[in-house]
Amino acid sequence: MSESNMVQRYTPNERGNHWIVAVCFVLAACSGLALFHPSFYFLSAVLGGGPWSRILHPFVGVLMFAFFFVIMARFWNLNRINDADRKWMQRVRDVIMNRDEGLPEVGKYNAAQKYLFWTIVVCLWLMLATGLVMWRPYLAEQFPIWLIRISVLVHALAAFVLITGIIVHIYSAIWVKGSLQAMVRGTVTANWAKAHHRAWYREVTGK
Amino acid sequence: MSALDITARSATTTPSPGVRQTAEIAKLIDESKCIGCKACQVACMNWNDLRDEIGTNVGVYDNPNDLTSNSWTVMRFFEVETEPNHLEWLIRKDGCMHCDDPGCLTACPAPGAIVKYSNGIVDFVSENCIGCGYCVAGCPFDVPRISKKDNKAYKCTLCSDRVAVGQAPACAKACPTGAIGFGTKTDMKGYAEKRVGELKERGFKDAGVYDPQGVGGTHVMYVLKHADKPELEGLPRNPEVSPMVSFWKGVTKPIAAAVMGLAVFGGFLHYVTVGPKEVDEADKDRSDSEKEAV
C-alpha cells in the first residue's frame, strides 16, 4: 500500500481531541454506572472506590464536555442532515446486513453517524446542566430539591442513551474494517473512502 | 441490633436476613405536651457527642435555624392563626421520621450505606457513605444533611445504640413533660389514640395521629392538634417517595442496564453472523462508475 493510496481523514489535533474525550468518557461511564445500578458498583474501583468516584466523576465529566465542545464546533456543519441522508436512512437495514450496493453517496459522515453526533450533543448538554445541579459539595446546595430530583433522573436517562450510543459507535469501528485507523493514525485507504464515503473522497481528492 | 436485624440495605438487590422477628418500635411526639424547652436538642447533642457551630439569631425561637449535620433534631416554632383572631403557637420537634419505606434508602447508590433494622430504625452507616447526596433527594421530609467537614450524610439515628441495649432515645429520656414517648409501635399507636381522644374533648376537633401511610407509616409519629392541616407545621400532607425518585430507582434502571448489556451482546452476535464490512484493497481501480451503475 503506497502513501498515495491513503487519504487523510483526521488531523493529529482532531485525533488527540477525540481520544481525550474517549478516555474521559470511559472514566465517567465507569464511575457513573457504579452509581447507576448496584450490579455495576464494582466499577467504582476504576476511580479508586465509592467516595473517589463521587469526587472525581463531575470533574471528569466537565473535562469531557469541554473537549467535546471543541469537537462539536469542529464537526457541527459536517453533520447537518440532508435529503440524501434521509434516503440513506431508509436503507439502513441493507447497511446493517452489509448489502451496500447502490446506497446513496455519502459525504464525510453517513446519516447514522450524523444522528449519533446529534445524540451525543443533546445528551452531553443535558448531562452538563443536570450534573452541575447535583454536584456535591459545591453546587447542589444552591438548588431546590425538586430540581435535583428531576436532574438525577434526566442525568441517568441521558447517560443511558449516551452509553448505548457509544456502544454502537465503538462496535461500528470494529465492524467497518479500516475505520479505526482513521482515528488512530489519521488515514484511511482510498478504497475505504470510495466504498464508504464516496462524496467525501471526491471532495478531498478531486477524483 | 446486629447484622441479623437488618431488613433492608441500600443498593442491594438480594434479600436481607429475615429469620429473626423483632417488635417494631416508635417514638411518639405529642405536640400538645411540648413546651419548647429544647431539652431534647441538648440531650441529642450530649448523647451523640455533637456540637454545632454557634449560629445567629434569626428573629424566631428556632435555634439552630435548621437541621444540620451536627443538629439531628430541631424544635420548630410556628405562629399560626387557625381561626380568625385566634393565634396559636405550635411547636414541632423535627428530625428523621424513620419511614417504613425510606426514600433515602431507596435513592442511595452505595451498598450498605443506609440500612433499615427490623425494629423500624433507619440508620446511616457512615463508613459506606460516599457523599453523593442522593438521600437528600430521596427524603420526603428534607432531613439528611451532608457534613461540610467530611462530606458524609447525617441524621437522627433514633439512638440506635441506646435502643440496642433496651434504652429509650436520649430525647425521650430528657423530655421533662413526657411529650416524647417511646415503645413498641403498637403501644405508641394505642397511646396516641388515647391522647387524640383527650384533645378532642378539650376542643381540638381535628386532633389526630400523624403516621403517614404514603411512606408505609413512620417510626416517629406525632399527635397533632390540627392533624387536618399538617402543613401548618411544615409537615407534608401526604408524604411519599417522589415519583421522580421511584421512577429513577425503580424498574427503569434494571431495564436500562439490560438494554446496555444486550447492545454489547447484539454487536457481538452481529459480528459473528453478518460479519464485518471489508474493502478489497487488492481492487486497485475501484471504478467510479461501479457505484453509480447499480
Side-chain angles (χ1 to χ4, degrees):
Chain A
M1 221 178 297
S2 64
E3 280 297 310
S4 60
N5 252 339
M6 306 304 280
V7 184
Q8 175 93 15
R9 189 159 165 86
Y10 292 113
T11 66
N13 270 337
E14 289 167 342
R15 270 132 59 198
N17 196 337
H18 169 270
W19 287 109
I20 292 170
V21 173
V23 169
C24 288
F25 169 81
V26 170
L27 298 179
C30 286
S31 50
L33 281 171
L35 306 193
F36 183 88
H37 190 264
S39 57
F40 296 125
Y41 196 74
F42 72 99
L43 288 172
S44 63
V46 172
L47 286 183
W52 273 115
S53 291
R54 185 266 303 166
I55 294 165
L56 295 175
H57 177 92
F59 289 103
V60 174
V62 167
L63 193 69
M64 169 165 68
F65 184 87
F67 279 91
F68 180 78
F69 190 84
V70 181
I71 291 188
M72 187 180 76
R74 269 182 172 142
F75 297 136
W76 188 276
N77 282 328
L78 285 164
N79 281 282
R80 290 182 191 278
I81 311 276
N82 57 37
D83 281 339
D85 292 322
R86 290 189 192 95
K87 287 200 186 97
W88 190 92
M89 256 344 247
Q90 285 166 5
R91 288 202 48 199
V92 75
R93 274 188 75 88
D94 289 333
V95 176
I96 292 168
M97 299 313 291
N98 290 347
R99 296 189 294 257
D100 290 356
E101 300 78 18
L103 284 172
E105 278 200 357
V106 170
K108 185 157 185 178
Y109 297 111
N110 65 40
Q113 289 174 302
K114 289 179 180 179
Y115 283 118
L116 182 78
F117 174 84
W118 296 115
T119 304
I120 299 172
V121 168
V122 171
C123 285
L124 280 187
W125 275 102
L126 281 176
M127 292 182 77
L128 177 76
T130 55
L132 291 176
V133 169
M134 60 207 270
W135 193 348
R136 282 183 199 275
Y138 309 111
L139 301 173
E141 289 198 353
Q142 313 302 318
F143 297 99
I145 282 176
W146 61 266
L147 186 61
I148 295 177
R149 284 179 184 153
I150 294 172
S151 295
V152 289
L153 177 64
V154 172
H155 200 80
L157 289 175
F160 161 66
V161 173
L162 179 66
I163 292 171
T164 310
I166 297 300
I167 289 171
V168 173
H169 177 63
I170 294 171
Y171 176 66
S172 301
I174 298 169
W175 169 36
V176 182
K177 293 297 170 197
S179 309
L180 191 59
Q181 191 183 224
M183 206 36 105
V184 178
R185 306 294 305 277
T187 51
V188 290
T189 65
N191 279 352
W192 184 95
K194 282 185 221 167
H196 302 306
H197 299 274
R198 165 91 33 160
W200 169 72
Y201 174 75
R202 237 184 294 116
E203 200 185 309
V204 290
T205 60
K207 288 179 202 164
Chain B
M1 288 186 291
S2 70
L4 271 177
D5 300 307
I6 292 171
T7 51
R9 188 177 183 271
S10 58
T12 303
T13 46
T14 49
S16 291
V19 293
R20 200 145 92 168
Q21 298 292 313
T22 47
E24 274 186 56
I25 51 90
K27 185 158 81 181
L28 179 71
I29 301 168
D30 185 348
E31 169 198 56
S32 63
K33 282 187 179 175
C34 176
I35 55 170
C37 69
K38 298 177 186 161
C40 53
Q41 287 185 211
V42 175
C44 179
M45 286 169 60
N46 198 329
W47 176 258
N48 293 298
D49 293 320
L50 302 166
R51 296 295 180 273
D52 211 338
E53 275 173 44
I54 295 177
T56 47
N57 189 317
V58 293
V60 289
Y61 276 85
D62 305 32
N63 177 22
N65 190 34
D66 195 8
L67 297 168
T68 70
S69 52
N70 278 293
S71 296
W72 297 347
T73 187
V74 163
M75 311 248 63
R76 296 190 186 275
F77 296 77
F78 302 87
E79 291 165 28
V80 293
E81 255 186 289
T82 46
E83 295 160 35
N85 298 318
H86 181 81
L87 180 73
E88 267 192 79
W89 203 26
L90 304 176
I91 311 164
R92 179 169 70 87
K93 176 190 182 298
D94 197 12
C96 177
M97 300 292 285
H98 296 271
C99 307
D100 205 53
D101 176 14
C104 57
L105 191 149
T106 307
C108 176
I114 303 180
V115 297
K116 197 187 96 179
Y117 292 106
S118 52
N119 64 9
I121 293 181
V122 178
D123 221 352
F124 286 4
V125 183
S126 298
E127 63 174 328
N128 294 331
C129 175
I130 64 170
C132 65
Y134 285 8
C135 53
V136 178
C139 176
F141 296 98
D142 186 23
V143 165
R145 294 290 183 272
I146 310 282
S147 162
K148 296 220 178 343
K149 199 165 150 192
D150 54 27
N151 291 307
K152 294 195 182 289
Y154 294 95
K155 66 161 189 70
C156 158
T157 67
L158 207 74
C159 282
S160 52
D161 48 352
R162 291 175 61 89
V163 174
V165 292
Q167 293 282 310
C171 56
K173 183 102 176 171
C175 180
T177 65
I180 307 174
F182 179 76
T184 65
K185 177 141 183 178
T186 321
D187 285 355
M188 288 300 110
K189 285 278 270 196
Y191 178 65
E193 292 303 339
K194 180 171 160 274
R195 281 298 298 158
V196 167
E198 286 166 7
L199 283 168
K200 282 188 171 158
E201 273 176 36
R202 275 172 51 195
F204 292 102
K205 58 180 177 19
D206 297 314
V209 184
Y210 189 78
D211 177 26
Q213 294 308 303
V215 290
T218 54
H219 295 88
V220 171
M221 300 182 293
Y222 290 104
V223 173
L224 298 178
K225 287 185 274 191
H226 303 283
D228 58 324
K229 289 188 226 113
E231 54 273 21
L232 283 178
E233 296 171 78
L235 279 172
R237 180 180 288 267
N238 294 310
E240 54 175 12
V241 179
S242 162
M244 214 70 81
V245 173
S246 12
F247 179 65
W248 163 52
K249 284 286 170 177
V251 290
T252 334
K253 288 198 162 175
I255 291 173
V259 169
M260 288 186 281
L262 284 175
V264 175
F265 189 67
F268 176 68
L269 270 188
H270 179 267
Y271 197 83
V272 298
T273 54
V274 178
K277 274 190 203 298
E278 283 165 319
V279 176
D280 183 6
E281 293 300 341
D283 183 2
K284 287 236 184 316
D285 187 32
R286 196 179 163 93
S287 122
D288 284 59
S289 56
E290 172 200 336
K291 284 257 161 181
E292 290 148 17
V294 188

